[in-house]
Amino acid sequence: MTKLIVVKNPMYRKRFTGMNCTIARALDEVGEWWSLLIVRECTQGTTRFDEFQRELGIARNVLTARLERLIEAGILERFPLQDRANTDGYRLTGKGEALYPVLVALKQWGDDWLAPNGKPPLELVDRKTGEPIERITVHGKDGSPLSFRDLRFEPGPGATSTTERVIENRNQRILGQADERSA
């Protein structure tokens, strides 16, 4: 008797396009690690396929697939390279450039929690002043820092009844805990 063995494809990735959550939908476009590393490389001046491959140590087929996906998502665009006939380069679109604060927040988190011996490999400084940049934080209109416990979720214009239940449950769990702590 032959036994059928089903092997799940480890490369299979669930799609979040139908989920009514903008975090999930953003992860659908840039949540795979190579994607954000390609975006990082673009912010460091990398434009050519061979440069991406060399800097990231990524397989050609994986790089090709990720570049195509980022172009399809409107995060990257192709442009003709001046110094190489019939060759395109890759650069960030406005949508891609808008990911920069995400990269900076990830860098700062990594510096705090993952830097070897607590020593980050590089610092980001303002080009004009030479001063280190401010940390990426969530803050109120008055400038005071806020944690997730300081925020109340409210339905947005795209909320569904499911979203409203999630909001109500979240606010009850998180804000109720905050109220219990302060009592």
Side-chain angles (χ1 to χ4, degrees):
M1 177 186 226
T2 304
K3 188 175 186 180
L4 176 65
I5 300 174
V6 178
V7 179
K8 290 187 177 182
N9 182 350
M11 295 301 289
Y12 172 77
R13 195 170 143 240
K14 179 178 176 160
R15 302 299 299 214
F16 299 122
T17 52
M19 193 178 275
N20 194 26
C21 172
T22 52
I23 293 172
R25 294 179 79 156
L27 288 171
D28 205 25
E29 291 200 2
V30 295
E32 190 275 327
W33 66 73
W34 288 122
S35 297
L36 282 178
L37 290 173
I38 290 168
V39 171
R40 180 203 67 186
E41 284 302 311
C42 287
T43 69
Q44 294 176 181
T46 303
T47 59
R48 294 187 351 227
F49 187 95
D50 59 324
E51 292 173 325
F52 286 110
Q53 191 176 24
R54 183 181 64 246
E55 295 302 320
L56 296 172
I58 185 174
R60 291 183 66 80
N61 63 324
V62 175
L63 178 57
T64 298
R66 295 309 176 270
L67 289 170
E68 288 304 317
R69 176 72 182 113
L70 290 167
I71 290 166
E72 181 182 298
I75 293 167
L76 292 183
E77 64 184 3
R78 282 189 181 90
F79 70 99
L81 290 172
Q82 299 296 330
D83 59 338
R84 299 185 104 172
N86 302 318
T87 305
D88 288 336
Y90 303 88
R91 64 182 170 211
L92 295 170
T93 62
K95 183 178 179 181
E97 286 187 24
L99 283 167
Y100 193 64
V102 174
L103 293 178
V104 172
L106 279 171
K107 180 203 175 310
Q108 291 174 344
W109 183 86
D111 289 351
D112 291 347
W113 297 98
L114 304 171
N117 301 317
K119 297 178 181 178
L122 65 92
E123 278 195 48
L124 299 175
V125 296
D126 184 316
R127 177 180 172 180
K128 292 177 187 167
T129 67
E131 295 293 320
I133 64 165
E134 288 186 31
R135 296 194 57 81
I136 301 279
T137 60
V138 176
H139 56 275
K141 286 198 178 235
D142 65 356
S144 63
L146 302 172
S147 86
F148 69 96
R149 291 182 187 89
D150 299 315
L151 301 176
R152 182 180 70 244
F153 286 13
E154 292 188 1
T160 64
S161 58
T162 302
T163 309
E164 290 175 3
R165 283 193 300 277
V166 168
I167 290 168
E168 184 179 325
N169 186 39
R170 182 268 178 199
N171 286 343
Q172 184 179 29
R173 288 181 174 190
I174 299 300
L175 301 180
Q177 288 176 357
D179 293 341
E180 288 172 12
R181 281 192 202 111
S182 63

